[in-house]
Amino acid sequence: MGILDSKIPSGPLADKWTKHKNDINLVNPANKRNIDIIVVGTGLAGGAAAATLAELGYNVKTFCYQDSPRRAHSIAAQGGINAAKNYQGDGDSNYRLFYDTIKGGDYRSREGNVYRLAEVSGNIIDQCVAQGVPFAREYGGMLDNRSFGGVLVSRTFYAKGQTGQQLLLGAYSAMNRQINRGKIQAYNRHEMMDLVLVDGKARGIIARDLVTGEIERHSAHAVVLATGGYGNVFFLSTNAMGSNVMAAWRAHRKGAFFANPCFTQIHPTCIPVSGDHQSKLTLMSESLRNDGRIWVPKKKEDAIAIREGKLKPTELSEEDRDYYLERRYPAFGNLVPRDVASRAAKERCDAGFGVNKTGEAVFLDFAAAIERYGKEKALTSGIKNPDKTTITELGEEVVKAKYGNLFQMYEKIVDQNPYKTPMMIYPAVHYTMGGLWVDYNLQTTIPGCYAAGEANFSDHGANRLGASALMQGLADGYFVLPYTIGDYLSDDIRTGAIPTDSTAFEEAEQQVRDRMEKLMGGSGIHSVDYYHKKLGKIMWNKCGMARNEKELKEAIKEISELRKDFWENVKVTGTVDSKNQELEKAGRVADFLELGELFAKDALHRNESCGGHFREEYQTEEGEALRDDENFKYVAAWEYKGEPKDAELHKEDLVYENIELKTRSYK
């Protein structure tokens, strides 16, 4: 076991980033023209990094498996992006954003990285406004804010329920400018199959053209991985169905440590599972918890009647409703952090108070908000003594302006009108706080290989606060990586172009071809989806919202056996040297089958509960997460040793000099 060096600069917390930028080496503009960088993934982190690096003068190649960077999963982010602008005058500051993020992550993230994130957050908003991102504005034209979970201020900037899409279009337009200048070569419909190391440094990738099936070699002086998270290891998640861990896992197999894989976020407001044949889940933005109230019936007989269709939720009186988050957490109410809200929903449903046919759903009700907004709108419109119908109509107009696209999406999927009846929601896998271990410069344990955005582990600890994913992705891409990567590349100004005809590239390509042939060589008994669904059920049932030693050990054994069966019996149709989506899926699921076992191993070794990692053996009398700061106040970074069961643990001790460790309380 080794101790990792995070390279966090010395000095006062608020000065670390400025000091670091002043101390690191730079590459002058003339030399940047001679340096190549590969960026894998073109969502918010990758798109922002590619555009900024190209603007600085580097030669950039981008790779994404989608037909356009605009289809990166960042587009699905709905609710908003955090920044410590304090436009509402409600006491926000860089320190408060830093503190909320550390506390929200249950004290399992780095102080230095998180403060830097808070420090550059305001720059992100300025950058995006300059790009033309249409953030919501107040009546007077100032940028508007709303609240998200785990905080007591309003710091979330938003563009209706389409914030991710609008931010991605901003990054995409910046990319397009560089593509037009010839500084970015975009390889869409390409998937990274392996990382190439030359003399121990990341010097390129092996990629597959997903349209022709051709295997290609691409070299560079550094490789940036910005390929998102691994939530699809659960099969059912809010992630796009193509989202995968392949690029990060290829790097892990080549020597990049994988940190905290068991830190996975379960989002409390998603449309519940409807049946066995479902292939993905749909997020309902956390922003809805600003105005929606979450409840279940107080009486089990009422819950049963609602499940059986004998009682409508609108027929239940206020005194017969249990607004359980407001009851348990009066200070934060419905805006507690995601891990807390998810566990509370599970507890109510496990106790028999679930409200859909499967018993795994709670209500998210907007009736009170519609009435409140309706009365306010009537007053500002000069309508005296409005009747109930007028109040409801006016209130629905206000809610529609705030959340209209989300309500429309819900109605299309569920076929119920959320303006007239409460939404039904239930927790689902949404985000992964774990990822490739990186230092303060965002460099992995492989020199020259960097990880940005959700692909790294660095900022969110054991639980991410809402609206912070977009903040981290754009902070890494626009304002962190373009500075820090120059420190490494300053040694490459005389290196020259990296040739692709070396032994390292030949061996890497051959390994990729051998792996694909092996995938094609199964006996053909079961489809790829058969294995993915079985893995997902093991992960959800034994490594999901609640975990225990017995079931984690069972999961490790079951996943190992499933992986063996996969390689022997998977059926992959088509050919290697042509378009083959089954082969694409097979490669991704093969990696999930390794990651899933490491995930369970990580969860088993961490004998505490913190954030999204909830071990049933370690909880308070009130059912809250019980941390063990004495023994587990560290980042668990795993080194690949051939099989997940043999992975070697390395630790990065977390030091808190500017914040007092406390038991998280949102009451």
Side-chain angles (χ1 to χ4, degrees):
M1 182 177 71
I3 302 298
L4 294 165
D5 179 13
S6 59
K7 296 185 174 66
I8 295 176
S10 60
L13 182 66
D15 298 337
K16 288 181 185 293
W17 178 228
T18 300
K19 178 179 183 298
H20 190 62
K21 287 189 292 183
N22 290 337
D23 290 345
I24 58 178
N25 294 316
L26 302 176
V27 180
N28 83 28
N31 287 328
K32 285 176 180 145
R33 293 194 290 267
N34 301 319
I35 292 178
D36 306 320
I37 300 174
I38 285 173
V39 179
V40 185
T42 51
L44 287 180
T52 308
L53 291 167
E55 180 77 36
L56 287 170
Y58 296 108
N59 305 310
V60 179
K61 288 183 179 181
T62 62
F63 294 81
C64 66
Y65 70 81
Q66 301 93 343
D67 56 4
S68 166
R70 288 182 302 165
R71 294 183 65 86
H73 186 59
S74 300
I75 202 170
Q78 297 169 352
I81 177 171
N82 289 330
K85 286 284 200 181
N86 195 31
Y87 281 174
Q88 302 302 314
D90 55 2
D92 202 7
S93 64
N94 287 345
Y95 182 84
R96 189 171 290 276
L97 175 52
F98 155 77
Y99 174 81
D100 288 342
T101 304
I102 293 279
K103 178 185 175 184
D106 216 352
Y107 304 94
R108 289 295 176 264
S109 49
R110 284 189 196 138
E111 279 194 342
N113 285 62
V114 175
Y115 194 89
R116 175 175 65 186
L117 179 65
E119 189 178 349
V120 304
S121 65
N123 296 341
I124 298 169
I125 304 304
D126 297 339
Q127 168 95 352
C128 295
V129 169
Q131 289 174 339
V133 173
F135 286 122
R137 293 179 181 268
E138 296 175 338
Y139 181 78
M142 296 292 289
L143 294 177
D144 195 16
N145 294 112
R146 55 189 178 199
S147 297
F148 263 58
V151 303
L152 295 173
V153 297
S154 294
R155 65 162 68 100
T156 305
F157 296 78
Y158 64 98
K160 211 169 185 179
Q162 308 169 355
T163 314
Q165 180 184 26
Q166 299 304 324
L167 293 171
L168 186 60
L169 289 173
Y172 178 62
S173 65
M175 273 187 68
N176 268 344
R177 178 171 177 270
Q178 301 305 323
I179 292 171
N180 191 52
R181 292 179 62 220
K183 296 302 293 181
I184 292 179
Q185 289 180 266
Y187 292 85
N188 303 337
R189 299 293 289 136
H190 280 67
E191 185 158 53
M192 173 181 155
M193 305 299 289
D194 210 348
L195 183 70
V196 180
L197 271 57
V198 179
D199 297 328
K201 296 181 178 181
R203 291 302 200 189
I205 65 171
I206 304 298
R208 182 169 182 266
D209 185 325
L210 300 181
V211 177
T212 66
E214 183 181 353
I215 302 298
E216 302 173 358
R217 304 177 186 180
H218 295 274
S219 66
H221 297 89
V223 176
V224 177
L225 303 180
T227 49
Y230 48 87
N232 276 351
V233 69
F234 287 83
F235 185 68
L236 286 178
S237 79
T238 65
N239 289 183
M241 289 185 66
S243 297
N244 63 82
V245 75
M246 182 177 281
W249 199 253
R250 298 294 97 199
H252 175 56
R253 289 173 66 105
K254 285 294 178 74
F257 293 0
F258 210 97
N260 300 335
C262 76
F263 286 172
T264 301
Q265 182 164 87
I266 314 290
H267 197 295
T269 53
C270 302
I271 296 177
V273 175
S274 60
D276 291 336
H277 300 291
Q278 197 164 346
S279 56
K280 85 173 295 293
L281 298 173
T282 304
L283 172 71
M284 287 285 103
S285 170
E286 182 170 323
S287 62
L288 295 173
R289 289 198 274 148
N290 271 271
D291 290 311
R293 300 178 72 194
I294 296 173
W295 63 275
V296 293
K298 282 184 179 177
K299 303 172 186 173
K300 281 190 182 178
E301 54 264 36
D302 288 338
I304 293 169
I306 289 173
R307 287 201 293 268
E308 294 176 348
K310 297 175 182 177
L311 181 67
K312 294 181 179 178
T314 51
E315 296 172 345
L316 212 60
S317 63
E318 280 291 307
E319 54 266 27
D320 290 326
R321 301 180 179 192
D322 178 16
Y323 295 95
Y324 58 88
L325 290 178
E326 297 173 23
R327 168 173 57 82
R328 291 179 61 179
Y329 309 102
F332 286 75
N334 295 293
L335 284 173
V336 291
R338 292 172 177 178
D339 59 321
V340 177
S342 293
R343 283 195 294 272
K346 182 180 187 296
E347 185 276 328
R348 287 291 78 196
C349 291
D350 288 350
F353 295 93
V355 296
N356 69 345
K357 291 180 181 179
T358 66
E360 293 186 330
V362 298
F363 287 126
L364 180 62
D365 198 333
F366 289 85
I370 288 171
E371 182 179 354
R372 184 178 74 250
Y373 284 130
K375 288 179 178 178
E376 183 181 327
K377 182 76 171 177
L379 283 171
T380 58
S381 301
I383 302 173
K384 296 181 179 179
N385 302 316
D387 58 23
K388 186 174 181 180
T389 302
T390 302
I391 289 172
T392 300
E393 288 176 353
L394 292 172
E396 287 179 357
E397 287 178 12
V398 176
V399 170
K400 185 177 182 180
K402 284 175 171 279
Y403 313 114
N405 66 308
L406 300 172
F407 277 50
Q408 181 186 38
M409 183 165 60
Y410 180 88
E411 186 169 5
K412 282 188 174 182
I413 293 171
V414 181
D415 197 25
Q416 291 182 3
N417 184 348
Y419 294 100
K420 305 300 182 185
T421 189
M423 287 183 179
M424 287 187 290
I425 57 167
Y426 193 69
V429 174
H430 176 61
Y431 185 90
T432 53
M433 285 76 67
L436 292 174
W437 185 90
V438 293
D439 61 19
Y440 192 69
N441 293 324
L442 305 186
Q443 187 170 221
T444 70
T445 47
I446 298 174
C449 179
Y450 290 76
E454 192 178 354
N456 73 35
F457 88 100
S458 66
D459 292 349
H460 305 296
N463 176 66
R464 177 177 66 77
L465 291 182
S468 288
L470 306 187
M471 174 175 62
Q472 186 212 345
L474 291 181
D476 287 356
Y478 283 136
F479 298 110
V480 178
L481 189 70
Y483 282 104
T484 60
I485 201 169
D487 189 42
Y488 171 80
L489 292 173
S490 62
D491 292 333
D492 273 323
I493 58 175
R494 293 185 179 86
T495 301
I498 307 295
T500 59
D501 57 357
S502 65
T503 303
F505 275 90
E506 289 175 5
E507 291 177 351
E509 181 181 337
Q510 190 57 50
Q511 289 170 5
V512 167
R513 292 186 182 278
D514 292 345
R515 180 180 172 84
M516 290 193 299
E517 291 294 347
K518 187 178 179 182
L519 285 168
M520 300 291 294
S523 66
I525 297 176
H526 301 298
S527 69
V528 176
D529 281 346
Y530 166 86
Y531 289 100
H532 199 177
K533 287 178 181 178
K534 290 200 76 168
L535 172 64
K537 285 190 175 180
I538 296 169
M539 295 298 296
W540 180 251
N541 292 334
K542 298 182 178 182
C543 308
M545 272 192 283
R547 305 152 184 181
N548 59 62
E549 181 180 1
K550 175 178 175 291
E551 291 186 339
L552 286 169
K553 287 180 176 177
E554 291 172 356
I556 290 170
K557 182 174 182 290
E558 290 171 19
I559 295 169
S560 178
E561 292 171 351
L562 185 65
R563 185 170 66 252
K564 182 175 183 292
D565 185 56
F566 170 86
W567 282 104
E568 292 175 356
N569 297 313
V570 70
K571 180 179 182 179
V572 181
T573 55
T575 61
V576 169
D577 55 355
S578 64
K579 182 178 180 180
N580 190 337
Q581 291 186 308
E582 280 300 298
L583 180 59
E584 294 170 33
K585 285 197 295 184
R588 296 165 186 170
V589 172
D591 288 336
F592 281 140
L593 285 163
E594 292 185 8
L595 168 67
E597 186 177 339
L598 183 64
F599 185 121
K601 180 184 174 79
D602 185 45
L604 180 63
H605 110 279
R606 192 172 278 277
N607 292 321
E608 66 164 352
S609 292
C610 56
H613 169 63
F614 190 77
R615 284 283 296 271
E616 293 172 340
E617 308 96 321
Y618 307 101
Q619 55 181 301
T620 66
E621 292 180 0
E622 297 173 322
E624 303 292 351
L626 184 63
R627 293 196 323 268
D628 181 354
D629 293 335
E630 184 177 346
N631 296 305
F632 291 97
K633 187 166 58 67
Y634 60 76
V635 177
W638 297 93
E639 182 181 2
Y640 182 78
K641 291 292 185 179
E643 289 285 334
K645 65 180 176 63
D646 300 323
E648 183 180 345
L649 174 64
H650 300 264
K651 295 180 181 179
E652 178 201 333
D653 292 324
L654 294 168
V655 179
Y656 294 99
E657 299 174 334
N658 302 275
I659 205 166
E660 182 184 352
L661 290 178
K662 299 177 181 178
T663 300
R664 275 197 318 173
S665 175
Y666 292 96
K667 297 184 178 183

